């Protein structure tokens, strides 16, 4: 189970209620339906999805949380030590396994992060329609640290991407300023 699969399995309110009922001791679909107030059909569908994600096990008809699977996901989901550029504290702080966990409030730090995203997402000299820019930025936002429209706006505002008639292009890198 990956963090993405876990988040997907628990993204639905009904499945979260089903999972919570099992955590609180419900061991059958009927008990889960009674505790959650959900229709039995919805409970069965939710249970199937939770089982597919590795969250719930049903040994001999007794529903339980699949704790071994959750522990394995927590252990395997840790980013490798070299998953992020260790030499830059801004990137270490705001990226986890290549996903944005937040945006710095301070403009200088935000620019470092945005320059990293622009370098990794867009080739210099290539023209991108807005949809392609959005598709390139959405994976950065998977953890909810920002949204792709905000990133796109910041990239344009910081002149890391240029925009003309709905077509974007990565701006040539400037030499770093000295004396700051």
């Amino acid at each position: 189970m990956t963090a993405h699969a876990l988040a997907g399995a628990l993204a639905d309110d009904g499945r979260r209620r089903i999972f919570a009922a099992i955590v609180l001791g419900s061991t059958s679909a009927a008990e889960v339906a009674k505790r959650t107030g959900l229709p039995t059909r919805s409970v069965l569908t939710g249970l199937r999805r939770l089982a597919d994600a590795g969250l719930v096990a049903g040994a001999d008809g007794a529903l339980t949380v699949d704790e071994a699977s959750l522990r394995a996901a927590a252990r395997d989901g840790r980013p490798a030590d070299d998953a992020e550029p260790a030499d830059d504290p801004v990137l270490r702080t705001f990226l986890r396994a290549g996903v944005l966990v937040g945006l710095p409030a301070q403009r200088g730090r935000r620019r470092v992060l945005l320059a990293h995203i622009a370098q990794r997402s867009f080739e210099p000299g290539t023209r991108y329609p807005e949809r392609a820019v959005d598709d390139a930025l959405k994976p950065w936002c998977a953890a909810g640290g920002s949204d792709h429209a905000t990133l796109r706006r910041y990239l344009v505002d910081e002149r890391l991407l240029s925009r003309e008639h709905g077509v974007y292009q990565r701006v040539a890198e400037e030499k770093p300023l000295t004396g700051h």
Side-chain angles (χ1 to χ4, degrees), residues 5-6 8-22 28-29 32-33 36 38-57 63-64:
L6 175 67
L10 294 174
D12 177 72
D13 181 56
R15 288 191 299 268
R16 281 192 308 275
R17 291 168 56 192
I18 292 165
F19 184 71
I22 295 167
S28 70
V32 170
T36 62
L38 295 170
T40 303
R41 182 181 184 112
S42 296
V43 169
L44 292 173
T45 302
L47 285 171
R48 189 169 37 256
R49 176 79 191 267
L50 292 170
D52 290 347
L55 289 169
V56 173
L63 298 171
T64 61

Side-chain angles (χ1 to χ4, degrees), residues 7-125:
L10 294 174
D12 177 72
D13 181 56
R15 288 191 299 268
R16 281 192 308 275
R17 291 168 56 192
I18 292 165
F19 184 71
I22 295 167
V23 168
L24 294 172
S26 297
T27 59
S28 70
E31 287 179 26
V32 170
K34 183 178 178 185
R35 182 169 268 176
T36 62
L38 295 170
T40 303
R41 182 181 184 112
S42 296
V43 169
L44 292 173
T45 302
L47 285 171
R48 189 169 37 256
R49 176 79 191 267
L50 292 170
D52 290 347
L55 289 169
V56 173
D60 300 324
L63 298 171
T64 61
V65 172
D66 190 342
E67 293 178 24
S69 180
L70 282 171
R71 275 196 288 289
R75 186 175 48 252
D76 296 340
R78 291 186 191 136
D81 290 340
D82 61 350
E84 301 302 336
D87 57 334
D88 194 311
V90 173
L91 300 180
R92 277 196 321 264
T93 302
F94 293 98
L95 292 176
R96 294 286 181 276
V99 177
L100 190 62
V101 294
L103 278 175
Q106 189 177 30
R107 183 173 181 242
R109 289 175 170 225
R110 189 171 52 237
R111 182 160 172 82
V112 167
L113 182 64
L114 292 168
H116 175 80
I117 291 171
Q119 277 186 325
R120 300 285 188 286
S121 302
F122 306 104
E123 292 296 322

Side-chain angles (χ1 to χ4, degrees), residues 101-166:
V101 294
L103 278 175
Q106 189 177 30
R107 183 173 181 242
R109 289 175 170 225
R110 189 171 52 237
R111 182 160 172 82
V112 167
L113 182 64
L114 292 168
H116 175 80
I117 291 171
Q119 277 186 325
R120 300 285 188 286
S121 302
F122 306 104
E123 292 296 322
T126 302
R127 297 169 53 87
Y128 299 91
E130 188 167 301
R131 175 174 271 163
V133 172
D134 290 347
D135 289 345
L137 295 177
K138 283 179 183 178
W140 292 99
C141 304
S146 185
D147 62 89
H148 67 280
T150 300
L151 280 182
R152 186 182 66 226
R153 185 183 74 240
Y154 276 135
L155 287 166
V156 171
D157 289 350
E158 290 294 332
R159 298 190 173 129
L160 295 164
L161 285 183
S162 65
R163 174 180 55 207
E164 187 175 327
H165 304 293

